[in-house]
Amino acid sequence: RIMKSEFKARPVHLSRDDRIQAHFITCFISITIFRILEKLLHEQFSSHDIITTLKEMNFLNVHGEGYIPTYTRTELTDRLHDLAGFNTDYQLLSQKKIKNILKSLK
């Protein structure tokens, strides 16, 4: 149900086997990651809330300065920051800080 409503995985107009398999694997990985995140959040938030919050966590790139968060801080964003081990909601993030965050995710 989540794949249809939140992930918008349908309709799929694929005919080649390799592309069908790639689509299936992408959907499977995304739902697996989502379920893990849901468990880490102790199932306290709805799937709609989690996905909407993640989609709305945008930043404004200020040339030469860094990135400013443009989303509203909520209990869910606080929990996501706790899980990730870094905060992005109350500070200007420099290019260097973003690169360090991305390196740590690899």
Side-chain angles (χ1 to χ4, degrees):
R1 180 177 169 177
I2 291 172
M3 293 306 290
K4 288 173 75 174
S5 60
E6 301 296 336
F7 285 101
K8 295 181 179 64
R10 296 179 67 188
V12 178
H13 304 289
L14 302 172
S15 57
R16 287 182 31 192
D17 284 344
D18 61 334
R19 292 187 181 182
I20 293 169
Q21 289 175 352
H23 179 76
F24 173 78
I25 290 169
T26 302
C27 292
F28 180 78
I29 291 170
S30 64
I31 197 74
T32 301
I33 291 170
F34 177 76
R35 291 291 186 205
I36 292 168
L37 179 59
E38 205 172 34
K39 294 292 182 195
L40 290 172
L41 292 169
H42 304 292
E43 299 178 358
Q44 293 179 337
F45 302 96
S46 71
S47 60
H48 176 74
D49 290 342
I50 294 170
I51 292 169
T52 301
T53 298
L54 289 171
K55 285 180 180 178
E56 292 176 353
M57 289 180 76
N58 292 318
F59 296 85
L60 176 65
N61 184 0
V62 179
H63 186 69
E65 296 290 324
Y67 295 89
I68 299 172
T70 61
Y71 58 91
T72 304
R73 183 178 173 199
T74 64
E75 180 184 349
L76 178 53
T77 60
D78 290 347
R79 295 285 304 279
L80 290 169
H81 288 130
D82 291 342
L83 287 173
F86 56 85
N87 288 322
T88 61
D89 58 351
Y90 58 83
Q91 57 190 353
L92 180 73
L93 298 170
S94 66
Q95 293 278 358
K96 184 177 180 179
K97 177 87 170 173
I98 292 289
K99 286 180 183 179
N100 287 339
I101 290 170
L102 293 175
K103 277 184 190 178
S104 72
L105 297 176
K106 291 181 182 180

